[in-house]
Structures are given as C-alpha cells and as structure tokens.
Amino acid sequence: MKTDTIFYRLFQSFSEFFFELINQSSEQANAYQFSSVEVKQLAFRIDGVFLPKTEAQPIYFLEVQFQKDHNFYGRFFGEIFLYLSQTSLESDWRGVIIYPNYQVESSKIERYQELLNPRRVQRIYLNQLENRPPISIGLAIVELIIVQETQVFEIATPLIAEIRQQIIDEKQQQDLLELLETILIYKLPRANYKEIEAMFSLSDLKQTKVYQEALEEGIKEGIKEGEILTKLASIPRMLKLGLSIEIIAASLDLPLETVQQEVNKNQ
C-alpha cells in the first residue's frame, strides 16, 4: 500500500486532519500551506512540509515511515537541515513522523536523542489512535489505513455515513469519499470491487445531467443502469492513473462528450 501517497492526498486536501493528529487545533491549518519539497544538491525529498504563512509559526516537516529503516533518522534530519540551510524563512521548526506501530521504528537512535525531544519531533503511532476519544472523521480515516482487514468494513461503513452527514461542502465530501474508496481498494485487494462499490451510495450521481444523458444513450444501446453507474464512477479513478479522456471513453465504451462532462464536474 502506497501510504505516503495516501497521506499526501489526505493532508493536501484536508490539512486540518494533520493538526488534529498532533493534538493541535484544526484551525491552525488556516495558517499553513502544505506541499512536498525536493531539497537541491542531494535530491532529497521530504514527504510533506507545512509552510507557515507568517514566521511566527513553526515549519512542520512530515515523514510517513511504514518500513523499518536503520538509516531513517540520519536521512530525516539530513533533509531537514539541508532544507533549512536553503530557505529564507526564519521560522522555528518541528518534525512529525507517522509510524504504524513501535515495531517499525529503528532502535538505532542514540546519536539523535537530543533531536528526538517531544517538543522538537513528535512520533505518531497509528495503532494508538483508538486511545484518543472522541475520534474525528480525519483521525478515523487515518486509523483505517492500519486496521486489520477483518475490521475494515466494520469501521468504513459508519464512517461513510458520517462523512455524508457532517461534510456539507459537496466537493469536500466527494474528495473524502474518493480517498476512502482508494484506501479500501488498497486494504482489500482480494475483495470483489462490487463489495466495495456497494458501500458507496451513488444516488447523487443519478441526479446529474451527465448520468441522465448517459442513461438515455445506454437505454438505446441496451446497457443496464447499474453498468452505466459503474462506468461513470470509474472515470475519476482512471484519470488519477493518468489515462487520457479519449482512452477512458474508448475503454468504457462511452461517448467522449459524456466523459468530458464528468471530468468537468469533478474539477
């Protein structure tokens, strides 16, 4: 599972979840811009950096580490200090490392003890999130990444309902549901896709103009309603794979105009 990509997407769209994760006010997100940063000279890449809009706030360096790596801390602090030597920002800094559990963390930390002071670097162990009541939507999504496969449906089903009830903004709601669907596909590689699809209500999609037109065209061609829904729902995922609109239309056997309308709706 490409956890660094999942976390990048999550924090890029919903920066407030990061600040909830480190026990800060979610309103802090308004003071930051999130991005991935490549450090020149040695081609270091930091998973995520929250750059403050004012120098009164610290810079947050984020790394997601799901595999044991005895050289991790050397590389982590090397990236940070090289970046600090190149930036014009005068802000203080904090480090945040996300681990699935204690077992993944390297035991070779003697030379980094002073830097691993909790006020300087915060280490998050996702398997401990359940000890933080009440849990928010953001933290529940993060927790879903590391739960056992047998628990996925138990956690995801009420979470989908909660997102639909609590997230008023339609685009934000759709972004969250798409991210959640991506996590489920990663977490359940052996599951039938229709099992996952069944968890997501497509009633909103049925109300759109693009669906109505596709349905009308499909009826003429003898295509079933469920097949049309499945095709339209797959367009965002195919776009994220880098496929062109023309290839998507040909693969799904849909008119180019229909695919283009669906793309425009999700932009």
Side-chain angles (χ1 to χ4, degrees):
M1 180 175 177
K2 299 180 179 180
T3 47
D4 52 350
T5 303
I6 292 292
F7 278 102
Y8 182 83
R9 283 180 56 192
L10 179 64
F11 295 142
Q12 184 182 48
S13 299
F14 305 96
S15 296
E16 63 270 24
F17 294 165
F18 170 78
F19 291 97
E20 288 181 12
L21 189 63
I22 62 173
N23 280 325
Q24 299 280 336
S25 167
S26 60
E27 294 180 0
Q28 284 267 61
N30 297 325
Y32 284 86
Q33 178 180 350
F34 177 69
S35 65
S36 176
V37 171
E38 185 169 346
V39 184
K40 296 179 181 178
Q41 295 179 1
L42 298 180
F44 282 152
R45 179 169 290 279
I46 302 171
D47 283 350
V49 179
F50 285 86
L51 295 174
K53 295 177 181 177
T54 68
E55 293 189 349
Q57 302 287 339
I59 303 170
Y60 283 98
F61 295 98
L62 168 68
E63 285 288 335
V64 178
Q65 190 64 24
F66 272 52
Q67 294 181 337
K68 186 161 250 181
D69 179 357
H70 291 305
N71 192 42
F72 169 73
Y73 284 117
R75 190 173 64 255
F76 178 60
F77 290 117
E79 292 169 351
I80 289 174
F81 289 122
L82 187 55
Y83 176 84
L84 292 175
S85 74
Q86 295 178 0
T87 184
S88 59
L89 283 173
E90 297 291 336
S91 302
D92 197 0
W93 66 274
R94 303 283 187 274
V96 176
I97 306 166
I98 298 177
Y99 289 112
N101 50 55
Y102 282 111
Q103 288 70 36
V104 172
E105 184 176 11
S106 171
S107 59
K108 298 182 181 298
I109 62 173
E110 292 81 5
R111 65 175 74 177
Y112 309 112
Q113 288 284 9
E114 290 78 12
L115 289 169
L116 290 173
N117 183 307
R119 288 175 293 180
R120 176 64 69 185
V121 173
Q122 194 168 351
R123 289 172 280 180
I124 306 291
Y125 305 96
L126 296 183
N127 64 331
Q128 296 184 346
L129 285 182
E130 59 187 20
N131 299 326
R132 283 201 200 175
I135 198 164
S136 69
I137 287 177
L139 294 186
I141 290 176
V142 171
E143 183 185 24
L144 186 62
I145 293 172
I146 54 97
V147 299
Q148 295 296 319
E149 189 174 313
T150 54
Q151 297 177 280
V152 169
F153 282 112
E154 178 185 341
I155 294 174
T157 302
L159 183 55
I160 292 169
E162 193 173 353
I163 289 172
R164 291 193 175 278
Q165 291 171 5
Q166 293 191 21
I167 306 300
I168 306 300
D169 183 272
E170 288 186 11
K171 186 180 185 308
Q172 191 177 46
Q173 182 187 108
Q174 187 61 35
D175 287 345
L176 267 178
L177 291 174
E178 284 184 11
L179 180 62
L180 192 57
E181 187 177 20
T182 301
I183 293 172
L184 290 175
I185 291 170
Y186 276 124
K187 292 289 294 183
L188 302 170
R190 293 180 294 276
N192 185 314
Y193 180 70
K194 290 195 176 297
E195 292 180 67
I196 297 174
E197 189 180 61
M199 301 175 67
F200 295 86
S201 168
L202 297 176
S203 58
D204 293 339
L205 182 59
K206 290 184 179 182
Q207 307 305 316
T208 63
K209 181 181 178 183
V210 66
Y211 169 74
Q212 296 296 336
E213 292 179 353
L215 178 61
E216 184 178 344
E217 187 68 26
I219 290 173
K220 293 178 183 177
E221 302 293 329
I223 302 173
K224 294 180 180 178
E225 180 181 5
E227 187 178 344
I228 294 171
L229 279 171
T230 301
K231 287 182 177 183
L232 293 177
S234 67
I235 291 174
R237 291 188 294 277
M238 296 176 78
L239 284 170
K240 286 171 185 174
L241 291 174
L243 301 179
S244 69
I245 295 174
E246 290 76 13
I247 291 176
I248 293 173
S251 300
L252 297 177
D253 195 22
L254 288 173
L256 185 62
E257 296 77 11
T258 298
V259 176
Q260 183 65 63
Q261 288 180 53
E262 183 67 10
V263 170
N264 293 340
K265 180 175 71 70
N266 285 283
Q267 284 179 342

